Structures are given as structure tokens and as C-alpha cells.
Amino acid sequence: MMKLSQIVVVLASLVWGFAPVLFAQNETREEMLEWISQLDKQDNVLVEHMEDADGTGLREGTAERLNVWNTDVLRKVAEWKIAHLEDESKKEQVRKALQDTLKNIDAVWADSGSGSGSSVFSGSEVIVLIQNQINIWLLPDDEYDAWMDWANVKLDYQGRVVQLKSGMAVVELRNGEVMEFSLQTGNCFVIDGERYALVEKDFVASPCDDHYRVYLYRLEPDGTTTLIEEVVREHFAFDMNLEKEADGCLRVNWREPSLPGRVNSTWIWLLK
């Protein structure tokens, strides 16, 4: 027979193993957002300390950030999302997104190389992967549904099919350069019943905005996509928004890092 102390250890292990599930099932979205907000605050302090750090300081700071944004946090948010969905197919989408993200994290570490700065670059990329997926799962229900409509669509780009996976696609060109397409969660819109998205494109690790582009796509009822127009070129854009200007005319408002106080606008005429 097991001793009492052994039974206590076993029970404690079981409780700890199920803690993420129990945590997820008992929290509201607001409480989850508050928890992630606290992690953000911890992370911001670490990032601030890294601003003037040397190579060793950057590596140590990145390791500390990875302790904040670890895969257990990712799993807890996934369990919360699953517990608060009723549709089984949507639950399965979350499980798949979790597995895909974990695979992507493994791939980042596998390709990290052995250079002195490799752990910093790879660690930062892992953190972004975790943060992005968490942000998606914590979206309000209507925004989450809008995102899922777009997350895995096929984009028609210059006669080539670009398959998004969780809002991202990496395409290798004939000359060996790698181009990335990305769709941020806040860049999906519905106007007059039509579904639109602003998709960013840039060369991976490009230090300049010469190749940066933003494209406006429309999602058709049959699930295909139509490229409407290139709306931003050679200016890194953030805080993008799509509005109806008039019948048959849309307007994209956006800002750029060098002039964050100025709002730029691009008008798009929708041809029949």
C-alpha cells in the first residue's frame, strides 16, 4: 500500500497537471486579459532594461522574457479558448493552432544557428509567435470569427497562390530571397456586408521599407479572395483602418513610425 505521504505527492502532481485546464475553465475573458496585461508589464520592464544592454545583457534579457512568455502560458490561453467555445469544429481549430504554433517554435529554434546573437533573434521570434497567437484567442467573439474567416485563405498574388496559415505565409523566390505575407488581427473589416483585409508584404529581415507593401483584398462568398489594390508602398504602416468614404469608394487611414502624429490616407475606387 502507498504511504500517506506518497498519496499526497501523487494528488499534488495530478492537481498541478490539470492546473492549466482548471485555470482556463474558471476565468472570464476580462480576467484573462488582466493576467496577460500583468505579463505585458513584466515584459516591458525587461525590454526597457535591454535597450542599452551589451551582447550578454541581451541574451540574458531574452532568456528572462522567454520565462514570461513560455509555452505553458500559450497552453493555458488555448485551454481557456476551448473551454469557452461551444462548436466542436471551432475547438478543433484552436487545438490545431496550438500544435502549429508549437511546431513553428520548434522550427525557429532548429534554425537558430550558432552565432552569438542567434539566441536573441530566435528568442524574440518565439516571443512574437506566442504573443500573436494569444492575442488572436483573446479577441472578442465577433473579431475572432472575422479573423478566422481570413486566417487560412489562399491569396492570388501576381498569378501565384499564397496560402496563409494563421495569417502568415512565407514564400521563397527564385533568387533565394524570402518574402513574408502577414495579416494582423486588427486588419479585417466588414463594410456593407463585404469582407476586406489589409495584407502586409515584405522581405524577411529587410532593414528598409523599399520592398514593404500593403494590399487590400476582398473575401468572396465562395471563399476565394480578390486583390483590390495596393494601398501602401515603401512606408512602414501601423494603426491601419478601412472606412467607407462614399458609395463605391473606400479609404485606408494609416500612420508610419517616422511621423506617428500624422494620419495618411489612401482612397480606393471599387470598379464594377
Side-chain angles (χ1 to χ4, degrees):
M1 294 179 64
M2 295 178 66
K3 295 180 180 179
L4 179 59
S5 59
Q6 293 175 310
I7 294 174
V8 170
V9 170
V10 171
L11 289 175
S13 300
L14 289 172
V15 170
W16 178 256
F18 284 107
V21 180
L22 295 174
F23 173 93
Q25 291 176 343
N26 293 327
E27 299 298 308
T28 65
R29 178 172 174 272
E30 288 69 25
E31 288 170 328
M32 293 292 288
L33 288 171
E34 176 58 28
W35 176 51
I36 296 301
S37 175
Q38 294 303 316
L39 297 183
D40 276 327
K41 290 177 181 178
Q42 295 178 41
D43 189 40
N44 290 337
V45 171
L46 293 172
V47 171
E48 186 175 345
H49 288 164
M50 291 170 63
E51 288 182 358
D52 298 317
D54 57 12
T56 300
L58 290 174
R59 289 190 292 273
E60 291 176 348
T62 302
E64 290 185 67
R65 293 187 67 205
L66 286 166
N67 284 332
V68 174
W69 300 111
N70 57 66
T71 53
D72 283 343
V73 174
L74 184 72
R75 288 187 176 92
K76 284 183 180 181
V77 180
E79 291 291 353
W80 171 84
K81 188 64 179 178
I82 291 169
H84 287 77
L85 287 170
E86 295 183 359
D87 186 281
E88 188 56 42
S89 63
K90 290 185 178 182
K91 291 175 184 282
E92 187 56 36
Q93 288 175 338
V94 175
R95 295 186 186 100
K96 186 178 186 307
L98 173 61
Q99 293 306 312
D100 287 346
T101 304
L102 293 173
K103 288 179 182 177
N104 290 337
I105 290 172
D106 288 342
V108 169
W109 288 125
D111 296 337
S112 62
S114 57
S116 59
S118 61
S119 64
V120 175
F121 291 117
S122 297
S124 299
E125 188 174 350
V126 167
I127 291 166
V128 169
L129 286 171
I130 291 174
Q131 289 175 326
N132 285 347
Q133 189 57 68
I134 287 173
N135 290 337
I136 290 168
W137 286 331
L138 291 179
L139 286 171
D141 291 344
D142 57 343
E143 293 183 31
Y144 177 75
D145 289 340
W147 161 257
M148 290 306 298
D149 285 343
W150 281 96
N152 301 295
V153 300
K154 294 178 180 179
L155 303 176
D156 184 6
Y157 177 73
Q158 295 183 349
R160 184 170 181 173
V161 175
V162 177
Q163 173 71 65
L164 291 185
K165 291 185 178 180
S166 294
M168 184 174 294
V170 176
V171 179
E172 184 172 350
L173 305 181
R174 291 179 180 176
N175 61 5
E177 291 188 285
V178 178
M179 195 163 55
E180 181 180 274
F181 292 78
S182 61
L183 174 60
Q184 307 303 318
T185 55
N187 291 338
C188 304
F189 308 90
V190 179
I191 297 177
D192 289 343
E194 299 279 8
R195 293 173 290 177
Y196 298 95
L198 295 168
V199 179
E200 301 172 55
K201 184 207 72 165
D202 199 6
F203 283 108
V204 172
S206 175
C208 66
D209 59 11
D210 293 351
H211 305 289
Y212 179 84
R213 302 286 191 274
V214 179
Y215 300 99
L216 176 65
Y217 279 87
R218 182 175 62 229
L219 184 61
E220 307 297 350
D222 62 358
T224 61
T225 61
T226 300
L227 174 59
I228 304 298
E229 191 172 311
E230 179 183 284
V231 294
V232 179
R233 171 184 289 193
E234 297 180 4
H235 294 280
F236 287 123
F238 73 98
D239 196 19
M240 291 187 286
N241 186 46
L242 183 67
E243 299 177 349
K244 180 179 179 180
E245 178 68 18
D247 287 342
C249 181
L250 304 178
R251 184 178 77 245
V252 178
N253 299 318
W254 52 280
R255 303 175 191 271
E256 55 183 311
S258 60
L259 296 168
R262 187 178 74 183
V263 177
N264 303 286
S265 296
T266 305
W267 279 261
I268 307 102
W269 292 98
L270 302 175
L271 304 179
K272 294 183 179 181

